[in-house]
Amino acid sequence: MLQPGLMMDRPLLLSSVIEHAAAQFGEAEIVSRETHGPLFRYTYAQCGTRARKLANALAGLGLKGGDAVGTIAWNNHRHMETYYAVSGSGMVLHTCNPRLHPQQLIYVINHAEDQVVLFDATFAPLVKGIAAHCPMVRAWVCLADAAHTPTIEGVANVQSYEDLIAPCSDEFAWPEFDERTGAALCYTSGTTGNPKGVMYSHRAIVLNAISGCNPSILSLSPADAILPVVPMFHVNAWCIPYAAPIAGAKLVLPGPGLDGKSLYELMESEGVTVSAGVPTIWQLLLAHVEQNGLKFTTMRRTLVGGSAMPRSLIAKFMDTYQVEVRHGWGMTETTAAATMGGLMPAAKGWPAEEKHAHLAKQGRTMFGVEIKVVDEQGATLPRDGESQGELMVRGQWVLSSYFKADRSPLVDGWFPTGDIATISPDGVMQIRDRTKDVIKTGGEWISSIDLENAAVAHPAVAMAAVIGVKHPKWDERPLMFIVRKPGHALEKDEILKFLETQVAKWWVPDDVVFLESLPVGGTGKVQKGDLRKQYGSVFS
Ligand code: ADP
């Protein structure tokens, strides 16, 4: 007979994260860019105090465990307090992506049944447009003091956050409940159909955040200052707002200042050692650093994910700026990162190019996550680094069912990701493409990611995207879109010749379109659907 373990059964709850930080790292700092410009700084102890005041304020508004509270907000200290006050009270924090189409925003707020929505002043025009269509929302709270809270024409129940919490006690007894209770809700960006809700449990978030502190993931300690550029409104900012207080790391929140100059200056002035963001953000940051002949004096590590990090950008970070790149993979359905790249000790003597190629892969699973790749019949493919198939994932912080959905998307207990990947014998996973983006030509597959990677290695290319276009003979052929770097002349013949030296001949795109910019969606990814709509039949 199995023996019972004789340990206490304490639930993994988010309230314990902020209380831990307040008690153990009470003096560690949170620095936050206010939406109206200046920097605000305080400590984890003060953050905990204000989270408790907000918890009392929400209770005063009549909210109770299980109710949903929406946020439409930047990465800032009031958003951080809201993270803890809402989930810690047993309510559900619904982070809304302000870049969703207003119709989708209305849909998600109603679907989640948000009772109160906290928003940044930046998004007042958005609130004005949607408030009348969100009948369940009884209060719209602006994350500002009274002086910076706008009146919104046609929306009566707007109040300032500071006024709301000012009269409240800073004592609050966080309730204890099952760690499997829903803590936060985030919707996928809904490129096809309505957005789907992913409900994270306290347990999933705490386990991910603890794992994230690990030296081979975020590697956080009180000696670090971490700046999440990844938004708190999408996929929990990769759980950094939870991991930093667990580790006692200084947290630097950039507010609306996401351009290269603002980020660089904040990184330098606050001694940021670690940061996390999508490749497009790092492209803007490096462009600023290069143009102004700057360097990073404190930044040691950058975490990248959300879309594939081009090899050329990895090389620049590593070799020119001595910043380590960790390239990870995750999705809304996996709470935060599920895999993370990095170099093993054996890579020490490798040539630089080999290191970059390795770091362009999305890495090994974090403890708590398992992956496999399967063929179209669902049979598991070998881990040989060659066999491509759909990536399947399971683990303690992977979704089992969408919010309010009738059917679970799982197949034999695994979540099908819609990504195509390979896994090498040493466990390293590489995303080859999304199933909907891979180019099927003459019975073979071309990876749009690999082609884009090859193109951005050309010194005149700022951004590149590739789509499959219907072709009368080959089924599909690749069409490439290029945004030139400012001041660079580049013509079709030159880039095609360059690509011939980089990829197999039959991969070389049939045509190239030069654009001023690429359509980028709410989570910093190129919207290939938009490109397909406009150019999808140019070869027919
Ligand atoms: P959406 O953009 O639909 O909201 P997510 O934000 O959940 O979806 O993004 C998840 C998807 O992003 C993954 O399924 C994968 O296609 C892509 N992705 C995430 N990280 C990487 C990466 N490092 N390299 C390539 N693709 C990535």
Side-chain angles (χ1 to χ4, degrees), residues 433 436-441 446-449 451-452 464-471 475-482 507-513 515 518-519 526-539:
D433 224 327
K436 58 179 195 274
D437 292 338
V438 72
I439 299 149
K440 295 184 176 127
T441 188
I446 296 176
S447 156
S448 65
I449 292 183
L451 264 181
E452 290 156 8
V466 179
I467 60 168
V469 170
K470 279 201 191 69
H471 192 280
D475 199 11
E476 280 184 347
R477 285 296 302 157
L479 172 65
M480 177 171 275
F481 300 86
I482 283 186
W507 278 41
V508 174
D510 287 24
D511 204 355
V512 179
V513 178
L515 297 175
L518 294 176
V526 174
Q527 296 301 91
K528 293 195 181 175
D530 293 359
L531 294 172
R532 268 187 220 111
K533 240 182 241 159
Q534 205 179 336
Y535 296 93
S537 49
V538 291
F539 298 154

Side-chain angles (χ1 to χ4, degrees), residues 189 234 305-308 327-332 362 419 434 523 525:
S189 15
H234 194 58
S307 49
H327 185 195
W329 169 89
M331 52 199 310
T332 310
Q362 285 76 2
D419 286 331
R434 281 190 149 185
T523 52
K525 290 174 214 199

Side-chain angles (χ1 to χ4, degrees), residues 306-372:
S307 49
M309 178 74 160
R311 228 185 271 184
S312 49
L313 212 55
I314 295 175
K316 212 167 274 173
F317 264 118
M318 304 275 291
D319 301 345
T320 313
Y321 297 103
Q322 282 73 52
V323 175
E324 183 191 344
V325 175
R326 294 199 180 161
H327 185 195
W329 169 89
M331 52 199 310
T332 310
E333 289 86 344
T334 65
T335 307
T339 71
M340 190 61 70
L343 295 174
M344 290 282 142
K348 233 179 189 161
W350 289 3
E353 286 212 345
E354 202 174 329
K355 287 185 184 167
H356 304 151
H358 192 79
L359 290 170
K361 299 178 183 179
Q362 285 76 2
R364 296 179 162 82
T365 51
M366 290 166 67
F367 176 73
V369 175
E370 293 166 81
I371 53 173
K372 64 176 181 178

Side-chain angles (χ1 to χ4, degrees), residues 198-201 204-206 208-209 234-239 331-337 396-399:
V198 180
M199 178 74 92
Y200 309 108
S201 62
I205 293 175
V206 172
N208 178 280
H234 194 58
V235 202
N236 311 304
W238 302 354
C239 282
M331 52 199 310
T332 310
E333 289 86 344
T334 65
T335 307
Q396 288 145 0
W397 54 77
V398 179
L399 151 141

Side-chain angles (χ1 to χ4, degrees), residues 388-410:
Q388 310 192 15
E390 182 168 13
L391 178 67
M392 312 287 282
V393 61
R394 72 176 180 194
Q396 288 145 0
W397 54 77
V398 179
L399 151 141
S400 65
S401 192
Y402 289 104
F403 183 50
K404 293 185 181 171
D406 306 331
R407 281 188 309 121
S408 163
L410 304 195

